[in-house]
Amino acid sequence: MRHYGKDKPPNSSLQARTLRAMSTAPRYMVSSTELPPAERAVFLESSFFSRNGPGAELPSPADVRARSAVQNPGAQQTTYRIPPVRYEELGLIVKFGSAPRVTVDEGQCLWALRRALPDVLPVPEVYGWTHDGGQVFIFMELVRGVSLERRWESLSEVDREGVCRQLREMISGLRELRHAPGEFFIGTLGQQPPTDIIFDCPQNNPPGGPFHSVTEFHDWLSLLIRPGFEHHWPGKKPSEIPDPYRESLPDAAPVVLTHGDLHPSNIMVSTDSPCKVVAIIDWHQSGWYPDYWEFCKAVFTAEVNGEWMNRYIPLFLDDSGFADVWDVYAGALGY
């Protein structure tokens, strides 16, 4: 099990975080009923059509698959994730594949964020989405820049800290978003089950959620890790097997809109100096989660006790104090 300095006090207590979340005036309400339809959407008002002329059309699924075969030979036989297809001449990138790796939820999230936080949180513009042959196709802006992962080693300390300050401002803006009145749930913006990659496991079939309280979510998470432990508890059903970590999950945690994978590979930056964050990409795991989730997931995907984990993540995300217990559940699910 990883250790995250559990003896150190977190940057803010659960009570303080809850009060702050309650007192923050929401900048924007996100309603699942106002999202574009999941079946198919084409945004004719987007820059793709104004930039490429009145006769512009999004590539067909057949064209995307054909170009994918050229750009990424053999990738369509993968069971993991097909690399996105680039249309440099159109300023377009297409993410396609099957659930749970590619879902319309990512497109809906990008659509909502571009409208809610256009001057606060840079994300790719989404041009549309469709379904074909059991796969989802999301058409979006090809962001110009390089990943922070690629540029990190060449950055000065001033630029590194500057990037983290920018990220903190962006995440603070994201935290101002709230559920629309009458809606409260844990799941994707479209009220679908959570799509975090740790739930892509045999135990979560069919997928659980959405959940209408933090307690309900934690109870489900606790139940999810128990199958396979029956041989330690003869005669007991999974629901009867004790979970010694359940009481450590904070049922009073606020629920916030979460990216779910703030890894340097998903942070696009400029190539000049001072280094500027030009976009946060890859929102396929995003949704409404307890507020500790973002920090726990970020440190879990970082090199153990590396500088990104120990020094830089805390510059843009507050230590939730729950990373150790989160690690137990993620590990039990095979992640």
Side-chain angles (χ1 to χ4, degrees), residues 255-333:
V255 173
V256 298
L257 192 53
T258 301
H259 177 275
D261 192 12
L262 287 176
H263 185 272
S265 61
N266 293 328
I267 301 166
M268 300 295 289
V269 298
S270 63
T271 57
D272 56 1
S273 185
C275 187
K276 180 182 178 182
V277 177
V278 297
I280 297 178
I281 64 171
D282 207 358
W283 290 77
H284 85 278
Q285 300 181 65
S286 64
W288 298 104
Y289 288 90
D291 71 338
Y292 63 82
W293 201 269
E294 194 87 88
F295 178 85
C296 294
K297 187 67 179 297
V299 297
F300 191 81
T301 59
E303 178 186 356
V304 179
N305 290 323
E307 62 176 9
W308 177 251
M309 172 180 155
N310 289 340
R311 169 163 170 70
Y312 295 102
I313 289 177
L315 293 181
F316 62 90
L317 292 174
D318 290 338
D319 186 344
S320 65
F322 299 103
D324 275 342
V325 68
W326 190 96
D327 181 71
V328 170
Y329 285 93
L333 295 175

Side-chain angles (χ1 to χ4, degrees), residues 203 219 221-230 237-243 246:
Q203 301 97 304
D219 286 344
L221 184 59
S222 175
L223 187 61
L224 204 61
I225 70 169
R226 301 184 201 187
F229 293 163
E230 293 94 335
K237 301 176 182 178
S239 60
E240 298 171 334
I241 297 173
D243 175 7
R246 172 62 184 90

Side-chain angles (χ1 to χ4, degrees), residues 68-333:
S68 175
V70 174
Q71 292 184 2
N72 309 292
Q76 295 188 52
Q77 280 68 53
T78 181
T79 59
Y80 183 66
R81 190 174 177 184
I82 304 171
V85 177
R86 300 168 67 92
Y87 289 79
E88 297 276 356
E89 71 279 12
L90 298 176
L92 171 71
I93 192 166
V94 185
K95 180 181 285 191
F96 79 105
S98 303
R101 298 294 176 176
V102 182
T103 69
V104 167
D105 300 292
E106 179 173 7
Q108 291 178 322
C109 182
L110 292 173
W111 181 90
L113 291 175
R114 291 278 297 197
R115 282 151 182 78
L117 303 171
D119 302 319
V120 177
L121 179 61
V123 300
E125 183 180 10
V126 62
Y127 304 138
W129 55 75
T130 192
H131 299 254
D132 183 78
Q135 293 180 313
V136 174
F137 293 74
I138 305 175
F139 305 88
M140 65 185 84
E141 173 190 3
L142 177 61
V143 175
R144 303 298 179 179
V146 298
S147 71
L148 182 61
E149 182 178 45
R150 288 181 55 191
R151 192 150 186 233
W152 184 256
E153 293 301 324
S154 66
L155 291 180
S156 67
E157 182 61 21
V158 171
D159 270 335
R160 290 181 177 188
E161 292 184 358
V163 165
C164 292
R165 283 194 298 271
Q166 294 172 61
L167 290 172
R168 177 167 283 276
E169 291 179 4
M170 293 171 186
I171 299 305
S172 295
L174 183 64
R175 295 294 177 264
E176 291 185 20
L177 301 184
R178 297 288 184 272
H179 290 94
E183 292 187 359
F184 183 86
F185 57 90
I186 293 173
T188 69
L189 266 66
Q191 291 206 50
Q192 296 301 307
T195 54
D196 194 289
I197 195 172
I198 73 165
F199 302 132
D200 184 11
C201 58
Q203 301 97 304
N204 189 28
N205 187 19
F211 305 95
H212 298 286
S213 72
V214 178
T215 299
E216 181 187 5
F217 173 66
H218 286 160
D219 286 344
W220 169 79
L221 184 59
S222 175
L223 187 61
L224 204 61
I225 70 169
R226 301 184 201 187
F229 293 163
E230 293 94 335
H231 62 283
H232 295 297
W233 300 89
K236 289 187 178 293
K237 301 176 182 178
S239 60
E240 298 171 334
I241 297 173
D243 175 7
Y245 299 98
R246 172 62 184 90
E247 63 182 16
S248 298
L249 294 173
D251 290 345
V255 173
V256 298
L257 192 53
T258 301
H259 177 275
D261 192 12
L262 287 176
H263 185 272
S265 61
N266 293 328
I267 301 166
M268 300 295 289
V269 298
S270 63
T271 57
D272 56 1
S273 185
C275 187
K276 180 182 178 182
V277 177
V278 297
I280 297 178
I281 64 171
D282 207 358
W283 290 77
H284 85 278
Q285 300 181 65
S286 64
W288 298 104
Y289 288 90
D291 71 338
Y292 63 82
W293 201 269
E294 194 87 88
F295 178 85
C296 294
K297 187 67 179 297
V299 297
F300 191 81
T301 59
E303 178 186 356
V304 179
N305 290 323
E307 62 176 9
W308 177 251
M309 172 180 155
N310 289 340
R311 169 163 170 70
Y312 295 102
I313 289 177
L315 293 181
F316 62 90
L317 292 174
D318 290 338
D319 186 344
S320 65
F322 299 103
D324 275 342
V325 68
W326 190 96
D327 181 71
V328 170
Y329 285 93
L333 295 175

